[in-house]
Amino acid sequence: MPLNLPAVQLGGIGPEIALTVTALVALVAEAMVGDKISRWYLPVIATAGLVVAGVLAIAAWNTSKVQLAGAIANDDFAVFVKVALAIFGLLTVWVAREYLEREGIEESEFYALVLLAVAGMMLMAGAADLIVMFLALETFSIALYVLVGSRRRSLDGQESAMKYFLLGAFSSAFFLLGIALAYGAAGTTNLYSSPGGVQGIAGFLSTHASSNLGLLSMAAVLLIVGLGFKIAAVPFHMWTPDAYQGAPSPVTGFMAAATKIAAFAAILRLFDAILYPLRWDWRPLVIGIAIITMIAGSIAAIVQEDVKRMLAYSSIAHAGFVLTGVIAANDQGVSGALFYLVTYGITVLGAFAVVAMLSGRDEQRVRLTDYRGLFYDHPLLAGSLTLFLLSLGGVPITAGFVGKVLVFGAAVQAGYAWVSVIGVLASSVAMFFYLRVMVVMYMQESEDAQAALPMGSLAGGVIALCAVATIFFGLAWGPLFEVAQKATFFAGG
């Protein structure tokens, strides 16, 4: 009896395949070459893989269909996020090259793990099935657990990796339970209808609008908990300060930028598209999480003396700001959140590139007092860090200001102006700890002359690119926002 096999359509996961193959090539290349020559070829291989993945993602623009038996949504929303992830991966690889060489830990495993993490995040962006979403979540999470502990000489790094792993496993249990309840309620884990005619969760909600959907509402709550861990929302943020502090600075920047956009991609697809009919059930919970996240992140950052921990709590606050776009649950909220996540990712990667350059070997210089008089010793680095901090604070003419206007404006449009007011107040509080860093850099003198920076032009080029992009998207933000508006979800049933 012939088997009815599904059509093999690999276009939706072409970027992920390219990255996985590239990761394997990097591992094999080092095994073959060994220590005979410098490992300069590893970032070249990683760069090539990320460029190919980005090109394959762009080629799928305007496709808008589900593939692989309804498991992958190959739509413009996924394309937008995948291209952003490829860019974040490139910036991370370029910063990490000189950092790893300085620390004496440059190995193919690092680049392979970054590529596999990006592949998992891309799969998350295009997942049209809750099981695929979970597999993607675990793929990039496991890679990040190892990357956080990649400084094997650092006890803080090992401790941070263990905390991240244990709490990550805990959150995965919530996410799996949410999937189980969703399957129990709808009889499927597909978000959209599969080619075999099986009704997805979206179709189930459209035909059971008046039925008791309590089980699916409970599933939505558990899915929020599982994904809330990945975006570092309060009260699921406990891992963030320690993991950000213990991880290598390039990895910390990668986590802050890429993990957020991947997890928010899943949140936006799930709640603003598929579970939109249940918005009156999940929206109050998301509003509460957004408010406490904005407030707690901003206040906790004030008392931090470690720059990486300060940026960690800043990252928590920014998760709350993006959640205001999710609360709006309208087109402007989705496009505003995408714009915010891209510009925030560029800004925070630039900030952590500066931290990586200044931290010195074994990252011994990451406290606020180590930045005294930075402007007089390294004026370009001080100016770049100032620009990034101003953008994170939402000061006009920076990309961060435009992002906040867009997500807060979407919440006002949806009738939640009071949430936006709280967000504006939290942003005002956040400016205090950004200004603290600037005061130290410009108005205090260093006790000793700053040592020559051991990281070179590649990391400096990344900082320059991020600085230019931060200003460009603050002044000419229209093109990026227009693309974000066109990055719509798959509209099929």
Side-chain angles (χ1 to χ4, degrees):
M1 181 177 178
L3 296 176
N4 295 321
L5 298 175
V8 179
Q9 300 168 309
L10 300 179
I13 57 171
E16 292 89 329
I17 294 174
L19 290 172
T20 303
V21 171
T22 305
L24 296 176
V25 168
L27 292 171
V28 172
E30 188 187 32
M32 295 178 64
V33 175
D35 297 328
K36 298 176 183 178
I37 60 174
S38 171
R39 292 183 172 90
W40 59 267
Y41 56 90
L42 293 175
V44 173
I45 293 173
T47 297
L50 288 163
V51 170
V52 171
V55 171
L56 290 174
I58 294 173
W61 186 260
N62 286 331
T63 301
S64 192
K65 61 182 179 181
V66 293
Q67 297 180 342
L68 294 176
I72 300 296
N74 197 17
D75 52 17
D76 293 344
F77 177 83
V79 171
F80 184 94
V81 176
K82 288 181 180 182
V83 173
L85 286 167
I87 293 171
F88 294 162
L90 280 172
L91 296 176
T92 300
V93 166
W94 294 343
V95 173
R97 159 62 178 158
E98 293 168 342
Y99 175 92
L100 297 174
E101 192 175 35
R102 181 187 75 188
E103 299 293 320
I105 56 174
E106 186 177 24
E107 297 172 343
S108 60
E109 288 86 345
F110 180 93
Y111 297 100
L113 287 168
V114 170
L115 293 172
L116 293 174
V118 174
M121 293 170 184
M122 287 185 174
L123 187 62
M124 186 90 159
D129 188 287
L130 291 176
I131 299 298
V132 175
M133 196 173 288
F134 174 74
L135 293 175
L137 183 94
E138 290 303 296
T139 298
F140 75 75
S141 294
I142 291 172
L144 289 176
Y145 299 152
V146 182
L147 285 171
V148 168
S150 55
R151 287 194 300 140
R152 293 189 290 270
R153 297 189 303 268
S154 170
L155 293 178
D156 289 339
Q158 302 306 307
E159 180 184 352
S160 300
M162 184 57 68
K163 289 180 179 178
Y164 188 21
F165 168 71
L166 292 175
L167 291 174
F170 187 66
S171 72
S172 296
F174 281 100
F175 194 81
L176 274 177
L177 184 56
I179 293 175
L181 292 181
Y183 181 80
T188 180
T189 56
N190 265 97
L191 303 184
Y192 307 99
S193 298
S194 64
V198 178
Q199 188 183 51
I201 295 175
F204 174 83
L205 284 170
S206 65
T207 57
H208 296 75
S210 59
S211 303
N212 182 12
L213 299 174
L215 194 61
L216 200 53
S217 297
M218 291 175 60
V221 171
L222 291 170
L223 293 174
I224 289 173
V225 173
L227 293 172
F229 172 87
K230 292 303 173 187
I231 64 172
V234 178
F236 319 113
H237 68 292
M238 293 79 69
W239 62 274
T240 312
D242 290 330
Y244 277 40
Q245 182 182 21
S249 292
V251 174
T252 307
F254 177 66
M255 291 167 61
T259 305
K260 264 193 174 42
I261 194 171
F264 266 111
I267 290 173
L268 290 167
R269 187 183 296 278
L270 273 176
F271 296 98
D272 284 0
I274 305 302
L275 299 178
Y276 180 78
L278 297 178
R279 62 193 178 280
W280 304 116
D281 294 325
W282 58 257
R283 185 180 263 162
L285 176 61
V286 176
I287 289 174
I289 292 174
I291 291 173
I292 62 173
T293 300
M294 290 186 289
I295 295 174
S298 298
I299 293 177
I302 293 176
V303 297
Q304 303 303 317
E305 295 296 329
D306 186 289
V307 175
K308 293 176 71 174
R309 289 184 72 89
M310 183 269 288
L311 290 173
Y313 282 107
S314 167
S315 174
I316 292 169
H318 282 279
F321 299 146
V322 181
L323 281 174
T324 58
V326 178
I327 292 165
N330 53 28
D331 291 341
Q332 185 178 339
V334 174
S335 54
L338 289 177
F339 181 94
Y340 195 115
L341 289 164
V342 170
T343 53
Y344 168 76
I346 292 172
T347 301
V348 78
L349 278 167
F352 276 108
V354 175
V355 172
M357 289 191 72
L358 296 174
S359 60
R361 188 169 176 82
D362 295 328
E363 299 204 7
Q364 297 178 352
R365 302 178 64 253
V366 293
R367 295 187 63 80
L368 193 59
T369 52
D370 296 322
Y371 286 67
R372 288 176 179 171
L374 179 64
F375 173 73
Y376 304 101
D377 295 301
H378 304 290
L380 292 179
L381 285 180
S384 299
L385 184 57
T386 299
L387 175 62
F388 298 139
L389 295 176
L390 290 176
S391 182
L392 292 174
V395 173
I397 80 162
T398 65
F401 171 75
V402 179
K404 284 186 171 62
V405 169
L406 293 175
V407 293
F408 292 159
V412 171
Q413 185 181 12
Y416 293 92
W418 59 278
V419 178
S420 296
V421 170
I422 295 174
V424 171
L425 294 175
S427 297
S428 302
V429 173
M431 275 306 302
F432 175 79
F433 53 82
Y434 297 134
L435 289 173
R436 281 185 68 201
V437 181
M438 297 178 209
V439 167
V440 169
M441 291 192 299
Y442 291 92
M443 303 182 67
Q444 296 184 12
E445 296 183 1
S446 57
E447 297 178 357
D448 300 310
Q450 296 278 352
L453 299 177
M455 291 177 63
S457 57
L458 197 55
V462 170
I463 294 170
L465 282 173
C466 293
V468 170
T470 299
I471 290 292
F472 178 80
F473 291 128
L475 296 175
W477 52 274
L480 178 60
F481 183 60
E482 184 178 348
V483 175
Q485 286 180 310
K486 294 178 180 178
T488 55
F489 300 108
F490 173 71

